[in-house]
């Protein structure tokens, strides 16, 4: 939430008629889609769920939002009260009392009007549960008859930080109204919320209803006795939810709901009396050029008063407002603007919110009015606005997140985005789906940009969904008979790695290695701050034992840069096999997903053998595998496992030994690869110590739901019988005696029919100069033949040799010899995404202008290439696509490809 400016026209051009014009039939701007094209039970289910994503405080056991956790647990502590609970307002984390109370009243009104819609879709329990979440908070916030806490959190401070609610670190001041600092609008709106809620809880929980009604009466008396605008008392709210309309509308609104809750005539009298103070135009009439909103409630109050009293002034004012939104006000040119696609577009800031508010009002009006033309006009308007929001628009797109076609993906919402870096651009895509949220919406030309930084068009808020939810409940009654909400909702999300270590070599020598490690907290399911994180670094001391040394001779020290970690002496893990580890412990250091320096902490530590010894060998150390080379940016490594409070959170453990602490569910499988074939997908992954079986799961939709294919004990699986050209999505889980792990990161593959090798006037011959398939280098040799009738410049050619890197490390290219000159060749390494069978990289060799040309019938001469990893760890060439151990003399080889420009002229890609 940024700022909520409210604009309202108050000057009318002409006198207007007091009834709808009989000759001004309302025509939507474009042909309507069938209203029955949408599952309104599903929309209602998701719209209600949105309020659960906005919850603050200690969440209940039945919390359905897997990425939300407890938050704001110190709210009110600054003033000695428990002000936990309630809803965060929008994409921010301030609890603004006025829009929260308004949203609650509108939701309660929708149950009052359309309870059967909630019952028919199986959502009555859910809507009552969410309304109670807000009313419980209002009861807490009403700490004395004439005292109400109306805001928690400072708007500026809150908006200066972009991160999940669960890890807020800023101070959250509490603001109140009282007898000396009045806020009639806030107090009366909160009274309306509690009174309307008391009505809908009366049948199922009379004790609770009585409690709400008691607070509602006290709050209304407070509002009526000590008059003033709340934004003059809580000044921080002025730039967000200023009370533009004053408080007379809330005095009527609150009194109407108290009358409906009590049948006490005094409240009806007060509601009518307060209407004398509503704002008027030059003609002396109440405003009609806006709609019910968080600021101005006179539109809702006059509709209810028209229905209750039958007084002409309320009826006529209500009908002028309905005319403004539909046919135009008779005798004037006043009519709301419409987009070419049929949206009634009142204001750019939250355009859909206003259209949804008026749609709900129009439904209530159409259910009451007896005139068939007025009834049909209002209902048709409401239905058209709702179907526009659900997808019947020029973009053929839904504006409700997670529903329908092409719904928004990038709302302006901190917690669903899930940034660990205090940045709207990190990550690029939201980590969570904010199901059910109605975004601000399109422009007057129906254009819309789905951008996280567009808080005008792409923010969400509790007040945006309030009347919208009620309108959907009515659509259930009209068009959703027999429809059902989704059975498995919300679907489980595919989780990312949340806690892990990024590491690189900081320095190394004949007797030591120094590691630069960054311990990351990128939690998001839910986000959480931790002061109990640690990781283990495992080494194999076999060479030290062979040289006559033991673990007591190896020192571990933290030096250089250290942001709060300590290192232990080497501890035995599997002493029989000489496996030891150092625990790098950040206990007491706060690490949380809240900023560049907040979400990760660095330590540089050295493991050293005695001076002048030379037996040290990193290559056999479990945790050294996957560590980036010296001078390279640290990379995430699964072989440095992470723990929180002793619980294994991420990464692999070496074979043998015992897991620290109690047995735990295994870590999720890592390095999952999916290689497509002809009607097949071959899956492989890293082994996890102590696992009894792995479960392979597949979906044809990214993110699932997934179907279990098979339980296997190995680390590969061939999925056969797939349809070529279809993309399949997979996750793997691991199971031990304790339970099943979290799913791996999702991978995908698209099976394809095999293609024939490309042939032409150019061809490649190959031989290997190294029959040892498991050493630390690749040594292919090539010769390019020209069988055509014209010379071919080598500078336009590129050779590609395909292989598996077997441990993703930086690599180096060398040309040991070339007839055309080694200096005229260059080599680069390109990673394949997705990987193919036998290849996750290729070596591309290109030629400079000095390499010359290949004459007709000639060849390039011999080209001797060689590659190695910078740490000289071994390759395994036995499964490499382009490698053949028996090809020791030059012969045509279509598993090495040749490109002329960007055109494949020889060979077959894997």
């Amino acid at each position: 939430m940024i700022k909520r400016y409210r604009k309202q026209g108050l000057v009318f051009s002409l006198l207007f008629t007091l009834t709808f014009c009989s000759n001004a039939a309302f025509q939507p701007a474009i042909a309507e889609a069938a209203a029955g094209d949408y599952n309104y039970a599903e929309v209602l289910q998701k719209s209600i769920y949105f309020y659960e994503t906005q919850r603050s405080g200690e969440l209940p056991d039945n919390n359905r939002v897997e990425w939300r956790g407890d938050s704001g647990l110190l709210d009110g502590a600054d003033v000695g009260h428990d002000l936990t609970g309630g809803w965060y307002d929008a994409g921010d984390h301030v609890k603004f009392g006025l829009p929260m109370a308004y949203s609650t009243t509108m939701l309660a009104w929708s149950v009052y009007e359309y309870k059967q819609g909630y019952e028919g879709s199986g959502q009555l329990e859910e809507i009552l549960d969410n309304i109670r979440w807000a009313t419980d908070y209002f009861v807490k916030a009403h700490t004395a008859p004439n005292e109400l806490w109306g805001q928690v959190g400072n708007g500026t401070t809150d908006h200066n930080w972009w991160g999940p609610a669960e890890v807020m670190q800023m101070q959250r001041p509490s603001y109140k109204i009282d007898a000396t600092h009045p806020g009639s609008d806030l107090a009366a709106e909160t009274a309306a919320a509690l009174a309307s809620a008391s009505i809908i809880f009366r049948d199922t929980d009379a004790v609770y209803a009585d409690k709400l009604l008691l607070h509602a009466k006290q709050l209304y008396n407070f509002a009526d006795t000590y008059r003033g605008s709340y934004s003059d008392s809580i000044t921080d709210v002025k730039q967000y939810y200023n009370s533009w309309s004053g408080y007379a509308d809330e005095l009527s609104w609150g009194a109407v709901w108290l009358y409906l809750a009590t049948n006490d005539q005094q409240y009806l009298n007060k509601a009518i009396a307060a209407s004398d103070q509503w704002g008027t135009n030059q003609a002396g009439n109440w405003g009609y050029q806006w709609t019910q909103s968080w600021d101005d409630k006179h539109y809702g109050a006059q509709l209810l008063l028209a229905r209750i009293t039958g007084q002409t002034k309320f009826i006529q004012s209500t009908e002028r407002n309905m005319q403004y939104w539909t046919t135009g006000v008779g005798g004037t040119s006043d009519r709301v603007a419409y987009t070419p696609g049929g949206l009634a577009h009142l204001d750019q800031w939250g355009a859909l919110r206003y259209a949804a508010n008026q749609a709900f009002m129009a439904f209530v009006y159409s259910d009451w009015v007896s005139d068939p033309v007025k009834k049909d006009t209002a209902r048709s308007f409401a239905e058209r606005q709702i179907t526009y929001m659900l997808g019947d628009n020029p973009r053929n797109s839904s504006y409700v997140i997670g529903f329908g076609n092409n719904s928004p993906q990038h709302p302006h919402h901190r917690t669903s985005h899930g940034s660990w870096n205090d940045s709207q651009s990190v990550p690029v895509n939201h980590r969570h789906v904010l199901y059910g949220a109605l975004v601000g919406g399109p422009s007057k030309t129906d254009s819309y940009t789905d951008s996280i930084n567009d808080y005008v068009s792409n923010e969400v808020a509790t007040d945006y969904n309030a009347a919208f939810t009620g309108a959907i409940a009515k659509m259930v009654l009209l068009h959703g008979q027999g429809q059902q909400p989704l059975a498995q909702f919300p679907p489980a999300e595919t989780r990312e790695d949340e806690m892990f270590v990024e590491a690189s070599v900081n320095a190394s020598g004949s007797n030591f290695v120094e590691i630069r490690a960054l311990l990351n907290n990128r939690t998001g399911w839910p986000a959480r701050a931790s002061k109990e994180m640690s990781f283990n670094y495992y080494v194999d001391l076999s060479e030290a034992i062979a040289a006559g040394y033991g673990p007591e001779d190896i020192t571990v020290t933290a030096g250089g840069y250290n942001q709060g970690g300590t290192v232990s002496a080497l501890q035995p893990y599997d002493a029989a096999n000489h496996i030891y580890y150092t625990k790098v412990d950040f206990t007491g250091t706060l690490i949380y997903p809240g900023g560049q320096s907040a979400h990760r902490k660095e330590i540089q530590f050295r493991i050293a053998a005695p001076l002048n010894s030379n037996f040290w060998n990193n290559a056999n150390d479990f945790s050294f595998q996957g560590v980036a080379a010296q001078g390279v940016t640290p990379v995430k490594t699964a072989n440095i496992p992470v723990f929180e409070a002793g619980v294994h959170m991420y990464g692999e453990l070496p074979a043998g030994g015992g897991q620290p602490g109690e047995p735990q569910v295994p870590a999720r499988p890592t390095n999952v690869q999916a290689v497509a074939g002809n009607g097949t997908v071959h899956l492989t992954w890293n082994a996890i110590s102590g696992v009894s079986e792995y479960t392979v799961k597949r979906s044809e939709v990214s993110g699932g739901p997934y179907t279990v294919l098979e339980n296997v004990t190995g680390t590969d699986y061939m999925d056969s019988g797939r349809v070529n050209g279809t993309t399949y999505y997979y996750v793997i889980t691991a199971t031990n005696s304790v339970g099943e792990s979290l799913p791996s990161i999702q991978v995908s593959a698209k099976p394809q029919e095999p293609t024939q090798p490309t042939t032409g006037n150019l061809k490649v011959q190959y031989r290997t100069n190294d029959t040892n398939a498991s050493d630390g280098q690749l040594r292919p040799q090539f010769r390019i033949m020209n069988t055509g009738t014209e010379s071919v410049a080598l500078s336009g050619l590129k050779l590609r040799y395909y292989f598996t890197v077997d441990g993703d490390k930086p690599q180096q290219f060398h040309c040991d010899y070339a007839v055309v000159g080694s200096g005229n060749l260059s080599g680069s390494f390109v990673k394949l995404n997705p990987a193919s069978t036998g290849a996750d990289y290729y070596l591309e060799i290109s030629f400079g202008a000095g390499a010359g040309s290949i004459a007709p019938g000639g060849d390039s001469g011999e080209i001797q290439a060689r590659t190695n990893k910078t740490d000289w760890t071994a390759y395994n060439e036995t499964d490499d696509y382009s490698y053949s151990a028996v090809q020791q003399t030059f012969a045509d080889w279509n598993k090495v490809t040749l490109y002329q420009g960007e055109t494949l002229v020889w060979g077959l890609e894997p």
Side-chain angles (χ1 to χ4, degrees), residues 843-854:
L843 165 67
E844 182 172 276
I845 299 174
S846 55
F847 302 86
S853 301
I854 307 176

Side-chain angles (χ1 to χ4, degrees), residues 27-45:
Q27 296 292 334
I30 62 174
E32 297 182 18
D37 287 350
Y38 305 102
N39 183 347
Y40 296 103
E42 178 189 347
V43 184
L44 190 60
Q45 174 188 48

